[in-house]
Amino acid sequence: MSEMYRPSLHFSPKRGWMNDPNGMIKVDGVYHLFYQHDPDSTDHGPMHWGHARSTDLVTWEELPVALYPTELGTCFSGSAVETAKGEVRLFYTAHRRVDGEDYQVQCLVHADPTLTTYRLDERNPVLGNPGLVCFRDPKVLWHKRSGRWIMALTHGQSIGFYASEDLDSWTFQSSFGDRHGRHSDGPWECPDLFSISDDRGNEHWILLVGIGSGAYAEGSGTQYFVGHFDGTTFTNSNPAETTLWLDYGRDFYAAQSFFDRTGSAPTVVGWASNWQYARDTPTQSFRGVMSLPRTLSLVDTGSGLRLAQTLPHSVLSAFQSTSDQSTYRRELEVTLSVGQSAVITLFAERQPHFTITRVAANEISITVVRRQIAAAPAFAHTYRVSGAYPQKGPLRLELCVDRGLVEFATGDGLTWITQLFFPSASDGIEIVQG
Ligand code: FRU
Protein backbone atom coordinates (compact mmCIF):
# COMPACT_ATOMS: atom_id res chain seq x y z
CA MET A 1 0.00 0.00 0.00
CA SER A 2 2.66 2.48 0.99
CA GLU A 3 4.43 1.95 -2.34
CA MET A 4 1.32 2.92 -4.30
CA TYR A 5 2.33 6.57 -4.10
CA ARG A 6 6.01 6.09 -4.80
CA PRO A 7 6.73 7.73 -8.17
CA SER A 8 8.93 5.73 -10.52
CA LEU A 9 10.78 8.56 -12.30
CA HIS A 10 11.20 10.90 -9.33
CA PHE A 11 13.53 10.43 -6.39
CA SER A 12 12.10 9.36 -3.03
CA PRO A 13 14.03 7.81 -0.12
CA LYS A 14 13.60 4.07 0.47
CA ARG A 15 12.41 4.82 3.98
CA GLY A 16 12.10 7.73 6.37
CA TRP A 17 11.44 11.43 5.97
CA MET A 18 12.73 13.76 3.25
CA ASN A 19 12.39 17.52 2.70
CA ASP A 20 14.66 20.04 0.91
CA PRO A 21 17.23 19.07 -1.74
CA ASN A 22 20.73 19.88 -0.43
CA GLY A 23 24.31 19.91 -1.69
CA MET A 24 23.36 19.38 -5.31
CA ILE A 25 26.52 19.05 -7.38
CA LYS A 26 27.76 17.45 -10.59
CA VAL A 27 31.28 16.02 -10.26
CA ASP A 28 33.02 13.92 -12.93
CA GLY A 29 29.73 13.42 -14.79
CA VAL A 30 27.86 12.21 -11.70
CA TYR A 31 24.95 14.16 -10.20
CA HIS A 32 24.79 14.11 -6.41
CA LEU A 33 21.60 14.91 -4.58
CA PHE A 34 21.70 15.24 -0.80
CA TYR A 35 18.52 15.93 1.10
CA GLN A 36 17.03 16.75 4.48
CA HIS A 37 16.41 13.34 5.94
CA ASP A 38 15.37 11.51 9.06
CA PRO A 39 16.18 7.86 8.39
CA ASP A 40 14.36 6.73 11.54
CA SER A 41 10.99 8.37 11.16
CA THR A 42 8.52 9.58 8.55
CA ASP A 43 8.23 12.94 10.31
CA HIS A 44 10.59 15.92 10.38
CA GLY A 45 12.91 14.91 13.24
CA PRO A 46 16.65 15.31 13.86
CA MET A 47 17.92 16.19 10.42
CA HIS A 48 20.64 14.20 8.64
CA TRP A 49 21.77 14.59 5.03
CA GLY A 50 20.60 11.65 2.93
CA HIS A 51 22.48 11.05 -0.32
CA ALA A 52 21.71 9.70 -3.80
CA ARG A 53 23.54 9.84 -7.12
CA SER A 54 22.67 9.52 -10.76
CA THR A 55 24.29 9.79 -14.16
CA ASP A 56 21.07 10.58 -16.05
CA LEU A 57 18.93 12.53 -13.52
CA VAL A 58 16.32 9.76 -13.67
CA THR A 59 17.76 6.63 -12.07
CA TRP A 60 18.91 7.45 -8.56
CA GLU A 61 21.10 5.18 -6.47
CA GLU A 62 20.49 5.77 -2.77
CA LEU A 63 23.74 5.80 -0.78
CA PRO A 64 24.49 5.70 2.95
CA VAL A 65 23.50 8.74 5.03
CA ALA A 66 26.21 11.38 4.51
CA LEU A 67 25.89 13.73 7.50
CA TYR A 68 24.79 12.96 11.05
CA PRO A 69 23.89 15.37 13.86
CA THR A 70 26.85 16.46 16.03
CA GLU A 71 27.17 18.37 19.32
CA LEU A 72 26.79 21.58 17.26
CA GLY A 73 23.31 20.48 16.20
CA THR A 74 21.32 18.63 13.60
CA CYS A 75 22.11 19.09 9.89
CA PHE A 76 19.84 21.64 8.22
CA SER A 77 19.95 22.58 4.55
CA GLY A 78 23.04 23.64 2.59
CA SER A 79 25.08 23.22 -0.56
CA ALA A 80 28.22 21.76 -2.16
CA VAL A 81 31.04 23.14 -4.33
CA GLU A 82 34.07 21.81 -6.17
CA THR A 83 37.25 23.90 -6.24
CA ALA A 84 39.57 24.28 -9.25
CA LYS A 85 41.81 21.68 -7.57
CA GLY A 86 38.95 19.17 -7.52
CA GLU A 87 38.27 19.42 -3.78
CA VAL A 88 34.64 18.97 -2.78
CA ARG A 89 33.25 20.93 0.17
CA LEU A 90 29.80 20.79 1.72
CA PHE A 91 28.24 23.58 3.76
CA TYR A 92 25.30 23.02 6.08
CA THR A 93 23.57 24.73 8.97
CA ALA A 94 24.02 23.11 12.38
CA HIS A 95 20.75 23.71 14.19
CA ARG A 96 20.07 23.38 17.90
CA ARG A 97 17.86 24.88 20.58
CA VAL A 98 19.48 27.18 23.13
CA ASP A 99 17.38 28.68 25.95
CA GLY A 100 14.19 27.76 24.12
CA GLU A 101 15.23 29.45 20.87
CA ASP A 102 16.67 28.20 17.58
CA TYR A 103 20.43 28.66 17.35
CA GLN A 104 21.99 28.20 13.89
CA VAL A 105 25.61 28.32 12.67
CA GLN A 106 27.31 27.36 9.39
CA CYS A 107 29.58 24.33 9.14
CA LEU A 108 32.10 23.10 6.57
CA VAL A 109 32.63 19.46 5.57
CA HIS A 110 35.42 18.06 3.35
CA ALA A 111 34.41 15.27 0.97
CA ASP A 112 36.59 13.12 -1.26
CA PRO A 113 36.02 13.52 -5.05
CA THR A 114 33.74 10.47 -5.22
CA LEU A 115 31.67 11.85 -2.32
CA THR A 116 31.87 8.72 -0.23
CA THR A 117 33.77 9.95 2.83
CA TYR A 118 33.19 13.12 4.84
CA ARG A 119 35.34 14.97 7.34
CA LEU A 120 33.96 17.77 9.49
CA ASP A 121 36.27 20.77 9.58
CA GLU A 122 37.85 21.12 13.03
CA ARG A 123 37.24 24.90 13.01
CA ASN A 124 33.45 24.49 12.81
CA PRO A 125 31.38 26.54 12.92
CA VAL A 126 33.16 28.42 10.14
CA LEU A 127 30.50 31.11 10.37
CA GLY A 128 29.11 31.89 13.84
CA ASN A 129 25.73 33.37 14.60
CA PRO A 130 25.60 37.21 14.50
CA GLY A 131 22.43 37.33 16.64
CA LEU A 132 19.79 36.15 14.16
CA VAL A 133 17.23 33.48 15.07
CA CYS A 134 16.84 32.44 11.42
CA PHE A 135 20.39 32.17 10.05
CA ARG A 136 20.57 29.17 7.77
CA ASP A 137 20.69 27.34 4.43
CA PRO A 138 24.13 28.36 3.06
CA LYS A 139 24.32 28.29 -0.73
CA VAL A 140 27.94 28.67 -1.84
CA LEU A 141 28.98 29.60 -5.39
CA TRP A 142 32.02 30.77 -7.29
CA HIS A 143 31.83 34.40 -8.47
CA LYS A 144 34.19 34.56 -11.41
CA ARG A 145 34.38 38.36 -11.87
CA SER A 146 35.45 39.08 -8.29
CA GLY A 147 37.40 35.82 -8.01
CA ARG A 148 35.76 34.97 -4.68
CA TRP A 149 33.42 32.46 -3.18
CA ILE A 150 30.01 33.81 -2.20
CA MET A 151 27.63 32.40 0.38
CA ALA A 152 23.92 33.33 0.21
CA LEU A 153 22.19 32.76 3.53
CA THR A 154 18.81 33.14 5.23
CA HIS A 155 18.94 36.32 7.33
CA GLY A 156 15.43 36.34 8.78
CA GLN A 157 13.25 37.81 6.04
CA SER A 158 16.12 38.70 3.75
CA ILE A 159 19.14 37.02 2.18
CA GLY A 160 22.64 37.84 3.46
CA PHE A 161 25.69 37.63 1.17
CA TYR A 162 29.13 36.69 2.51
CA ALA A 163 32.43 36.46 0.61
CA SER A 164 35.52 34.31 1.08
CA GLU A 165 38.88 33.83 -0.66
CA ASP A 166 39.45 30.35 0.74
CA LEU A 167 36.04 28.88 1.73
CA ASP A 168 37.17 29.04 5.39
CA SER A 169 36.72 32.63 6.54
CA TRP A 170 33.65 34.58 5.52
CA THR A 171 32.93 38.32 5.56
CA PHE A 172 29.48 39.86 5.42
CA GLN A 173 28.89 41.96 2.28
CA SER A 174 25.23 43.00 2.06
CA SER A 175 21.69 41.79 2.30
CA PHE A 176 18.72 41.84 -0.05
CA GLY A 177 15.00 41.46 0.43
CA ASP A 178 13.48 44.26 2.44
CA ARG A 179 10.20 45.20 0.67
CA HIS A 180 11.09 43.08 -2.41
CA GLY A 181 8.88 40.24 -3.68
CA ARG A 182 6.65 38.23 -1.35
CA HIS A 183 7.06 38.15 2.42
CA SER A 184 4.96 36.33 4.98
CA ASP A 185 5.29 35.59 8.69
CA GLY A 186 8.27 33.21 8.29
CA PRO A 187 11.87 33.63 7.10
CA TRP A 188 13.13 33.62 3.53
CA GLU A 189 14.58 30.12 3.25
CA CYS A 190 16.88 28.08 1.01
CA PRO A 191 18.35 30.80 -1.24
CA ASP A 192 20.10 29.95 -4.49
CA LEU A 193 22.09 32.39 -6.62
CA PHE A 194 23.44 31.70 -10.11
CA SER A 195 24.14 33.49 -13.38
CA ILE A 196 22.31 32.84 -16.62
CA SER A 197 22.51 34.47 -20.04
CA ASP A 198 19.57 35.89 -21.94
CA ASP A 199 19.07 35.06 -25.63
CA ARG A 200 21.37 37.94 -26.64
CA GLY A 201 24.17 36.56 -24.50
CA ASN A 202 23.93 39.17 -21.70
CA GLU A 203 24.59 37.86 -18.21
CA HIS A 204 21.95 38.15 -15.48
CA TRP A 205 21.74 36.77 -11.95
CA ILE A 206 18.86 34.80 -10.52
CA LEU A 207 18.12 34.68 -6.81
CA LEU A 208 15.76 31.88 -5.76
CA VAL A 209 14.03 32.25 -2.39
CA GLY A 210 11.63 29.91 -0.61
CA ILE A 211 8.82 31.16 1.60
CA GLY A 212 7.35 28.53 3.91
CA SER A 213 3.89 30.09 3.99
CA GLY A 214 2.02 32.73 1.99
CA ALA A 215 3.20 31.63 -1.47
CA TYR A 216 1.12 31.90 -4.64
CA ALA A 217 -1.11 28.88 -4.03
CA GLU A 218 -0.99 29.04 -0.19
CA GLY A 219 1.67 27.54 2.01
CA SER A 220 5.20 27.01 0.72
CA GLY A 221 6.54 28.17 -2.65
CA THR A 222 9.65 29.26 -4.53
CA GLN A 223 9.92 32.83 -5.81
CA TYR A 224 12.74 34.28 -7.90
CA PHE A 225 14.34 37.61 -8.67
CA VAL A 226 16.09 38.58 -11.90
CA GLY A 227 18.91 41.03 -11.33
CA HIS A 228 22.64 41.65 -11.13
CA PHE A 229 25.20 40.52 -8.61
CA ASP A 230 28.60 42.22 -8.60
CA GLY A 231 30.23 40.02 -5.96
CA THR A 232 28.98 42.27 -3.16
CA THR A 233 25.39 43.36 -3.79
CA PHE A 234 22.33 41.91 -5.50
CA THR A 235 20.27 44.49 -7.44
CA ASN A 236 16.75 43.63 -8.53
CA SER A 237 16.10 44.46 -12.22
CA ASN A 238 12.34 44.58 -11.63
CA PRO A 239 10.32 46.95 -9.45
CA ALA A 240 10.44 45.81 -5.81
CA GLU A 241 6.79 44.72 -5.79
CA THR A 242 7.21 42.33 -8.76
CA THR A 243 6.71 38.77 -7.54
CA LEU A 244 7.83 35.93 -9.80
CA TRP A 245 7.18 32.24 -9.09
CA LEU A 246 9.27 29.37 -10.32
CA ASP A 247 6.17 27.21 -9.94
CA TYR A 248 2.56 28.19 -9.25
CA GLY A 249 1.53 24.86 -7.72
CA ARG A 250 1.46 23.89 -4.09
CA ASP A 251 4.24 21.32 -4.25
CA PHE A 252 7.51 22.83 -5.38
CA TYR A 253 9.62 24.11 -2.53
CA ALA A 254 13.22 24.93 -1.62
CA ALA A 255 14.38 24.51 -5.24
CA GLN A 256 18.14 24.40 -5.76
CA SER A 257 20.43 24.14 -8.80
CA PHE A 258 23.34 21.75 -9.30
CA PHE A 259 26.80 23.25 -8.85
CA ASP A 260 28.79 22.36 -11.95
CA ARG A 261 32.37 23.64 -12.19
CA THR A 262 32.44 22.96 -15.92
CA GLY A 263 29.47 25.32 -16.33
CA SER A 264 26.20 24.13 -17.85
CA ALA A 265 22.68 25.56 -17.97
CA PRO A 266 21.29 25.67 -14.43
CA THR A 267 19.13 22.64 -13.62
CA VAL A 268 16.91 22.77 -10.55
CA VAL A 269 15.08 20.24 -8.38
CA GLY A 270 12.45 21.16 -5.78
CA TRP A 271 10.89 19.28 -2.87
CA ALA A 272 7.43 18.26 -4.09
CA SER A 273 5.54 19.09 -0.91
CA ASN A 274 4.31 21.94 1.24
CA TRP A 275 4.83 22.62 4.94
CA GLN A 276 1.04 23.02 5.33
CA TYR A 277 0.54 19.25 5.11
CA ALA A 278 3.96 17.64 4.43
CA ARG A 279 3.78 15.66 7.69
CA ASP A 280 0.25 14.34 6.99
CA THR A 281 0.52 12.81 3.53
CA PRO A 282 -0.65 9.18 3.39
CA THR A 283 2.53 7.24 2.60
CA GLN A 284 3.91 4.69 5.03
CA SER A 285 7.55 3.60 4.73
CA PHE A 286 8.73 6.96 3.39
CA ARG A 287 7.48 10.53 3.19
CA GLY A 288 8.75 13.05 0.62
CA VAL A 289 9.41 13.13 -3.13
CA MET A 290 11.58 15.41 -5.29
CA SER A 291 10.29 17.15 -8.43
CA LEU A 292 11.66 16.27 -11.84
CA PRO A 293 14.89 18.10 -12.66
CA ARG A 294 14.23 21.13 -14.87
CA THR A 295 16.70 23.07 -16.98
CA LEU A 296 16.34 26.83 -16.90
CA SER A 297 16.61 29.46 -19.61
CA LEU A 298 15.93 33.19 -19.53
CA VAL A 299 13.31 34.36 -22.00
CA ASP A 300 12.49 37.92 -23.05
CA THR A 301 8.69 38.15 -22.69
CA GLY A 302 6.38 41.13 -23.17
CA SER A 303 6.58 41.73 -19.42
CA GLY A 304 10.35 41.34 -19.02
CA LEU A 305 12.92 38.57 -18.59
CA ARG A 306 11.38 35.42 -17.13
CA LEU A 307 12.61 31.90 -16.39
CA ALA A 308 11.42 29.05 -18.59
CA GLN A 309 11.94 25.42 -17.57
CA THR A 310 12.28 22.37 -19.77
CA LEU A 311 12.87 18.73 -18.93
CA PRO A 312 16.26 17.22 -19.76
CA HIS A 313 16.31 14.72 -22.68
CA SER A 314 17.03 11.81 -20.34
CA VAL A 315 13.81 12.55 -18.45
CA LEU A 316 11.78 12.81 -21.66
CA SER A 317 13.06 9.49 -22.93
CA ALA A 318 12.44 7.82 -19.56
CA PHE A 319 8.78 8.85 -19.82
CA GLN A 320 8.71 7.46 -23.37
CA SER A 321 10.14 4.10 -22.46
CA THR A 322 8.49 3.40 -19.11
CA SER A 323 6.09 0.48 -19.03
CA ASP A 324 4.42 1.76 -15.85
CA GLN A 325 0.79 2.56 -16.76
CA SER A 326 0.58 5.14 -13.97
CA THR A 327 3.57 7.10 -15.25
CA TYR A 328 3.13 9.01 -18.48
CA ARG A 329 3.76 12.30 -20.22
CA ARG A 330 1.38 13.93 -22.66
CA GLU A 331 1.98 16.87 -24.96
CA LEU A 332 -1.32 18.41 -25.96
CA GLU A 333 -2.22 21.05 -28.50
CA VAL A 334 -5.57 22.76 -28.10
CA THR A 335 -7.19 25.47 -30.16
CA LEU A 336 -9.61 27.56 -28.13
CA SER A 337 -11.74 30.52 -29.09
CA VAL A 338 -12.30 33.19 -26.44
CA GLY A 339 -14.60 31.77 -23.77
CA GLN A 340 -13.81 28.14 -24.62
CA SER A 341 -12.10 25.72 -22.23
CA ALA A 342 -10.10 22.50 -22.26
CA VAL A 343 -10.79 20.30 -19.25
CA ILE A 344 -8.32 17.70 -17.92
CA THR A 345 -9.51 15.02 -15.56
CA LEU A 346 -7.00 12.60 -14.08
CA PHE A 347 -6.99 9.28 -12.22
CA ALA A 348 -10.33 8.15 -13.67
CA GLU A 349 -12.08 10.63 -11.38
CA ARG A 350 -15.30 12.42 -12.29
CA GLN A 351 -14.37 16.01 -11.57
CA PRO A 352 -11.71 17.98 -13.43
CA HIS A 353 -8.29 18.85 -12.04
CA PHE A 354 -7.21 21.47 -14.61
CA THR A 355 -9.58 23.71 -16.59
CA ILE A 356 -7.83 25.91 -19.12
CA THR A 357 -9.98 28.76 -20.42
CA ARG A 358 -9.07 31.28 -23.08
CA VAL A 359 -10.24 34.43 -21.31
CA ALA A 360 -8.97 36.95 -23.89
CA ALA A 361 -7.21 36.89 -27.24
CA ASN A 362 -3.79 36.48 -25.65
CA GLU A 363 -4.66 35.19 -22.21
CA ILE A 364 -5.62 31.93 -20.54
CA SER A 365 -6.73 31.19 -17.03
CA ILE A 366 -5.98 27.78 -15.49
CA THR A 367 -8.24 26.65 -12.67
CA VAL A 368 -6.54 24.02 -10.54
CA VAL A 369 -8.64 21.92 -8.20
CA ARG A 370 -7.58 19.37 -5.63
CA ARG A 371 -10.03 17.68 -3.35
CA GLN A 372 -9.79 16.81 0.31
CA ILE A 373 -7.95 13.76 1.58
CA ALA A 374 -8.76 12.50 5.06
CA ALA A 375 -5.22 12.59 6.43
CA ALA A 376 -4.42 16.17 5.45
CA PRO A 377 -7.13 18.77 6.03
CA ALA A 378 -5.11 21.60 4.44
CA PHE A 379 -4.82 19.64 1.20
CA ALA A 380 -7.95 20.72 -0.71
CA HIS A 381 -7.94 23.90 -2.75
CA THR A 382 -9.03 25.73 -5.87
CA TYR A 383 -6.87 28.45 -7.35
CA ARG A 384 -6.25 30.20 -10.64
CA VAL A 385 -3.12 30.84 -12.60
CA SER A 386 -2.97 33.07 -15.67
CA GLY A 387 -0.87 32.40 -18.72
CA ALA A 388 -0.52 33.43 -22.32
CA TYR A 389 -2.48 32.22 -25.33
CA PRO A 390 -0.03 32.19 -28.27
CA GLN A 391 -0.23 34.84 -31.00
CA LYS A 392 -0.06 32.10 -33.62
CA GLY A 393 -1.04 28.45 -33.62
CA PRO A 394 -2.53 26.25 -30.90
CA LEU A 395 -1.93 26.38 -27.15
CA ARG A 396 0.61 23.79 -26.08
CA LEU A 397 0.26 21.97 -22.78
CA GLU A 398 2.56 19.42 -21.18
CA LEU A 399 1.52 17.04 -18.43
CA CYS A 400 3.83 14.67 -16.57
CA VAL A 401 2.07 12.22 -14.27
CA ASP A 402 4.04 9.82 -12.09
CA ARG A 403 1.69 7.94 -9.78
CA GLY A 404 0.12 10.81 -7.83
CA LEU A 405 2.66 13.51 -8.68
CA VAL A 406 1.58 15.85 -11.50
CA GLU A 407 3.74 18.49 -13.18
CA PHE A 408 1.82 20.65 -15.62
CA ALA A 409 3.44 23.19 -17.95
CA THR A 410 2.36 25.67 -20.58
CA GLY A 411 3.63 28.79 -22.33
CA ASP A 412 6.77 26.99 -23.59
CA GLY A 413 7.82 26.26 -20.03
CA LEU A 414 7.11 29.73 -18.60
CA THR A 415 4.29 28.47 -16.38
CA TRP A 416 4.68 25.35 -14.23
CA ILE A 417 2.22 23.91 -11.75
CA THR A 418 3.34 21.03 -9.53
CA GLN A 419 0.68 19.17 -7.57
CA LEU A 420 0.71 16.09 -5.39
CA PHE A 421 -2.34 13.82 -5.45
CA PHE A 422 -3.15 10.62 -3.60
CA PRO A 423 -5.73 9.06 -5.92
CA SER A 424 -7.36 5.70 -5.45
CA ALA A 425 -6.66 4.78 -9.09
CA SER A 426 -3.42 6.02 -10.50
CA ASP A 427 -4.07 5.93 -14.23
CA GLY A 428 -6.84 7.33 -16.42
CA ILE A 429 -6.74 10.68 -18.15
CA GLU A 430 -9.56 12.42 -19.97
CA ILE A 431 -9.22 15.61 -21.97
CA VAL A 432 -12.37 17.36 -23.15
CA GLN A 433 -12.38 20.49 -25.20
CA GLY A 434 -15.31 22.78 -25.86
C1 FRU B 1 13.00 24.63 4.47
C2 FRU B 1 13.67 24.43 5.82
C3 FRU B 1 15.06 25.06 5.82
C4 FRU B 1 15.76 24.27 6.89
C5 FRU B 1 15.19 22.89 6.68
C6 FRU B 1 15.08 22.07 7.92
O1 FRU B 1 12.07 23.67 4.14
O2 FRU B 1 12.87 24.97 6.83
O3 FRU B 1 15.06 26.45 6.04
O4 FRU B 1 17.15 24.29 6.75
O5 FRU B 1 13.91 23.06 6.11
O6 FRU B 1 14.76 20.75 7.62
Side-chain angles (χ1 to χ4, degrees), residues 251 309 345 383 391-392:
D251 297 294
Q309 304 165 60
T345 307
Y383 63 84
Q391 307 254 335
K392 273 196 221 135

mmCIF file of all heavy atoms in Angstrom, residues 251 309 345 383 391-392:
data_model
loop_
_atom_site.group_PDB
_atom_site.id
_atom_site.type_symbol
_atom_site.label_atom_id
_atom_site.label_comp_id
_atom_site.label_asym_id
_atom_site.label_seq_id
_atom_site.Cartn_x
_atom_site.Cartn_y
_atom_site.Cartn_z
ATOM 1 N N ASP A 251 3.241 22.319 -4.633
ATOM 2 C CA ASP A 251 4.238 21.320 -4.249
ATOM 3 C C ASP A 251 5.553 21.493 -4.990
ATOM 4 O O ASP A 251 5.981 20.603 -5.737
ATOM 5 C CB ASP A 251 3.641 19.918 -4.460
ATOM 6 C CG ASP A 251 2.433 19.704 -3.566
ATOM 7 O OD1 ASP A 251 2.606 19.669 -2.344
ATOM 8 O OD2 ASP A 251 1.311 19.625 -4.091
ATOM 9 N N GLN A 309 11.377 26.696 -18.024
ATOM 10 C CA GLN A 309 11.945 25.425 -17.567
ATOM 11 C C GLN A 309 11.569 24.317 -18.542
ATOM 12 O O GLN A 309 10.401 24.193 -18.904
ATOM 13 C CB GLN A 309 11.387 25.060 -16.188
ATOM 14 C CG GLN A 309 11.617 26.138 -15.141
ATOM 15 C CD GLN A 309 10.751 25.930 -13.911
ATOM 16 O OE1 GLN A 309 10.850 24.912 -13.257
ATOM 17 N NE2 GLN A 309 9.893 26.894 -13.616
ATOM 18 N N THR A 345 -9.112 15.780 -16.741
ATOM 19 C CA THR A 345 -9.511 15.022 -15.559
ATOM 20 C C THR A 345 -8.598 13.816 -15.448
ATOM 21 O O THR A 345 -8.414 13.075 -16.408
ATOM 22 C CB THR A 345 -10.984 14.568 -15.690
ATOM 23 O OG1 THR A 345 -11.766 15.725 -15.972
ATOM 24 C CG2 THR A 345 -11.483 13.920 -14.413
ATOM 25 N N TYR A 383 -7.506 27.155 -7.096
ATOM 26 C CA TYR A 383 -6.866 28.448 -7.351
ATOM 27 C C TYR A 383 -6.692 28.636 -8.851
ATOM 28 O O TYR A 383 -6.864 27.701 -9.629
ATOM 29 C CB TYR A 383 -5.541 28.590 -6.591
ATOM 30 C CG TYR A 383 -4.475 27.605 -6.969
ATOM 31 C CD1 TYR A 383 -3.640 27.832 -8.059
ATOM 32 C CD2 TYR A 383 -4.295 26.458 -6.231
ATOM 33 C CE1 TYR A 383 -2.658 26.935 -8.401
ATOM 34 C CE2 TYR A 383 -3.308 25.547 -6.568
ATOM 35 C CZ TYR A 383 -2.501 25.789 -7.657
ATOM 36 O OH TYR A 383 -1.535 24.885 -7.997
ATOM 37 N N GLN A 391 0.208 33.952 -29.904
ATOM 38 C CA GLN A 391 -0.227 34.841 -31.002
ATOM 39 C C GLN A 391 -0.597 34.022 -32.232
ATOM 40 O O GLN A 391 -1.502 34.361 -32.971
ATOM 41 C CB GLN A 391 0.942 35.760 -31.405
ATOM 42 C CG GLN A 391 1.555 36.514 -30.256
ATOM 43 C CD GLN A 391 1.146 37.969 -30.301
ATOM 44 O OE1 GLN A 391 0.827 38.465 -31.343
ATOM 45 N NE2 GLN A 391 1.154 38.645 -29.173
ATOM 46 N N LYS A 392 0.167 32.940 -32.431
ATOM 47 C CA LYS A 392 -0.058 32.101 -33.620
ATOM 48 C C LYS A 392 -0.155 30.650 -33.184
ATOM 49 O O LYS A 392 0.586 30.235 -32.292
ATOM 50 C CB LYS A 392 1.157 32.210 -34.550
ATOM 51 C CG LYS A 392 1.084 33.348 -35.505
ATOM 52 C CD LYS A 392 2.104 33.150 -36.626
ATOM 53 C CE LYS A 392 2.758 34.465 -36.956
ATOM 54 N NZ LYS A 392 4.173 34.425 -37.101
#
